[in-house]
Each structure stands twice: as structure tokens, then as C-alpha cells.
Amino acid sequence: KLQVVSKTDVQVGSGEEGENNTSDINEKIAQICTGPADFNDVIAIFGQPSDYKWGKQSFKLENLPVKRYWIFYPDSIHILMNWDKVDRLEIVDSAYVFNDKIPMGSSLEHVLSIVGQPKATVVGQRGWEDGVLYKDIEGRVGRCQYMRKDLNADFRFLNYTLTCVSIFLEVKSG
């Protein structure tokens, strides 16, 4: 059971992490993905973040927007909040393993061998069509993206190496 704290209970800049905090990023992600998770769950699992942002605008804990903002934990995870619920996880932690099969740092070929080959490959441009591999995006060799809606995941690569996994969670607006 998660410890629930309110936004007013969090001490800004305390650096202390929630009591139920574990050191394993995979366990933390699993706790969030059992959802629906809210702001209190995020703080209980991950502790105090480094920042709250939307675009270039930063927010203080007391002034968080109602609809959308990102919670940042550098070198680990960025969490998109939507109506106070976790909408998306952008995982950059090098210790993360997707579905117990794809470790961060895996090659593009390894990821495709596990999740399946794309229905098409588009070279040189950005896109978000399900099942399409976008390769060498904007002319940057090795920068790729592959979204798989059936897995609720989007895989991103630099130098053909997995550097970020986005996991989409179902959120109903308030």
C-alpha cells in the first residue's frame, strides 16, 4: 500500500524521499504503472523532484497547474501529469529494463527483435505513427523513434542506442 501525502505535506527542497521509496527504478515504475497514480503516489514513490515545468515555464509546488505539467527527476524519469494523474512516464534511467526484456542502452536491432519489426521505416523526418520506425530524424544519424501503441510505449534512440522509453498510461480528464 502506498503512503499518501498531500501537496501541502511535501517540503520543497527537503531532498528527502518518501518512506516507501526503493532504490530500484524498475520497482518504482511498476508501482506507478499499476495505477491510476496521482501526484501523491509520485512523491511517495520517487521523493521530492528537482523541478515542475510546462514548456519553458517552471512552477513552485504551491502553484502547480491543474491540467498539465511535467515532474522532473534528472537522469531518471520525467512524469507528465494530466488532471493530477500520471499520464506518461519518460524513463531515461540507465538501470531501467522495459518489460524485463529490453535494458536501456540496447541497440535498435535488439529492441526490434523483441517488440517486432516496424510496418514501415521513414528516414530523415519526425513522426508519431504507430508501428513506424522513424530513422535518422532530421538528418541526425542514429536518432530514431518507434512507437508501439499495443505496448503503450515509445522507444527513442541516439546513435541507434535506446536512451528513452515513454510509457503511456490511461488518463480520464477531470
Side-chain angles (χ1 to χ4, degrees), residues 46-63:
F46 291 97
Q48 180 64 32
S50 67
D51 208 355
Y52 304 97
K53 288 186 174 188
W54 184 252
K56 293 182 180 185
Q57 185 176 5
S58 288
F59 301 99
K60 294 188 183 288
L61 181 65
E62 310 79 50
N63 301 344

Side-chain angles (χ1 to χ4, degrees), residues 56-133:
K56 293 182 180 185
Q57 185 176 5
S58 288
F59 301 99
K60 294 188 183 288
L61 181 65
E62 310 79 50
N63 301 344
L64 292 177
V66 174
K67 189 168 182 187
R68 255 187 221 127
Y69 59 93
W70 285 95
I71 300 175
F72 284 90
Y73 295 91
D75 301 322
S76 181
I77 188 168
H78 311 140
I79 302 170
L80 177 62
M81 301 299 293
N82 189 1
W83 297 105
D84 201 39
K85 301 287 183 218
V86 175
D87 184 79
R88 180 176 5 160
L89 308 173
E90 287 197 347
I91 306 156
V92 296
D93 192 303
S94 61
Y96 178 66
V97 179
F98 178 79
N99 280 358
D100 296 322
K101 296 178 184 170
I102 303 173
M104 205 61 86
S106 293
S107 69
L108 174 62
E109 294 79 18
H110 177 73
V111 173
L112 295 178
S113 74
I114 301 292
V115 301
Q117 297 299 312
K119 63 183 179 184
T121 299
V122 175
V123 177
Q125 64 188 51
R126 175 182 305 277
W128 291 270
E129 185 177 338
D130 182 37
V132 174
L133 171 63

